[in-house]
Amino acid sequence: MTYIQVTGGKKLHGDIEVQGSKNAVLPILAASVLHNGVTTIHHCPEISDVQCMIRILDSIGCKVKKEGSTVIVDATQLNNYRIPDEFVARMRSSIILLGPLLGRQHFVTISYPGGCTIGARPIDLHVKGLKRLNAEIIEANDLLTCMTTKLLGTEINLDFPSVGATENILLAAVLAEGTTIITNAAKEPEIDELCAFLTCMGAKIDGSGTGTIIVQGATSLHDCEYTVKADRIVTGTYMAAVAATGGKIILRGAVKEHIEEVIEVVNRMGCVTQASSEGITVIQKSRPNAYDLLRTRSYPGFPTDLQSPVMAALTIARGNSILIENIFEARYKVVKELVKMGANIEIDGKIAIIRGVSSLHGASVKAYELRGGAALVIAGMIAKETTDIHSIEYILRGYEDICRDLRMLGATVNYIEE
Ligand code: EPU
């Protein structure tokens, strides 16, 4: 098995291009099946979740070509109503195909995605929303069977602004008859990107990026070409890294408007950030300041996906910090590993109290999930000795090449074949 080895103690310096957004490209690839034609998607990140989505599209009859970071999907010949179980088990966000496949072929079955390493992750809001659009959904024997004679637009108020449920309902609404109004919709930039992509395909959508999204059902769409924006979580991960190690980095392509809250947080941790049309520059001259109380929230609040990377930086802050994780109940698995490296962190339910120590030390640690894995790489860059990070398959789900990126910024980070 391959693991990541980090020898820390260096400041980060240099500039890198930020990869395309994982959480934008996955629903965009799913959306490609809505169109009886060809869609071209540029700046797709080379990550295992994208490979998994491409294999699903392939398994249901799409012809998918990959040319560098461009993915071309020809969905004219869809021929399968069942999403293969192996992919659902590997990537629970394959559930996002329910909406578009119901719209396009009125029938789809998928095995029930279970919980995952970050929490129980129910899909009740997806199911409720699709039922409101006139889908019949039978949940039996761990299988969801979804069918409709015709999807019908309606008003849907989400109990919680779930990203995935908003996307699924939106995707179903595109080919529904009449108008769909989604209230209490998620406002994450990935929803805005999905709306931009769907609009480029010919869908009629208003209110993107707000809590109320209005979709006028279309009867057909057209070929389109779209470029995915920079990944805001990868951007934030590298911002947290430099907040921890010190130095000056330029994140090319990073979109300031997507990470205002994160900029605010790293600035309070002592960084100076400058945004321009080219990207974001982050400078950190000292050990990070502690953060008195940081809570994760839905966008535009501080993202749950950056809670662990920022926690890693706060382990060596001057003073004590408090984090509150409000979105995923099992996102503190990384704490045990950070403690092995000398961090002083106490967990009480949703609350983490981080007492800043002067440095971390190297250790052999294990990733339990994607963002926690990235946090361990940051911790490894803080420790002066060598840290080995195992189970890196989680990290590869979302970071194209974290070792390449950090080496370009001067860190000593390598994949080691066991
Ligand atoms: N929820 C429900 N019922 C539902 C759906 C969600 O109770 O039907 C709850 C969840 O259990 C959770 C909260 O609502 O407590 C938020 O879940 P949401 O649906 O918003 O998240 P998601 O769509 O499953 C996406 C990202 C996550 C990111 C969250 C929050 C993708 C593929 N995944 O998940 O990304 O953390 O939004 O922003 O877009 C990651 O990239 O590491 C990652 C986990």
Side-chain angles (χ1 to χ4, degrees), residues 397-408:
R397 292 185 65 163
Y399 295 84
E400 201 170 76
D401 192 338
I402 199 167
C403 293
R404 171 202 65 197
D405 286 352
L406 293 170
R407 271 200 308 271
M408 283 176 75

Side-chain angles (χ1 to χ4, degrees), residues 50 58 75 143 257 276 299 344:
V50 165
D58 202 55
L143 194 70
E257 293 69 32
S276 72
Y299 191 82
N344 182 340

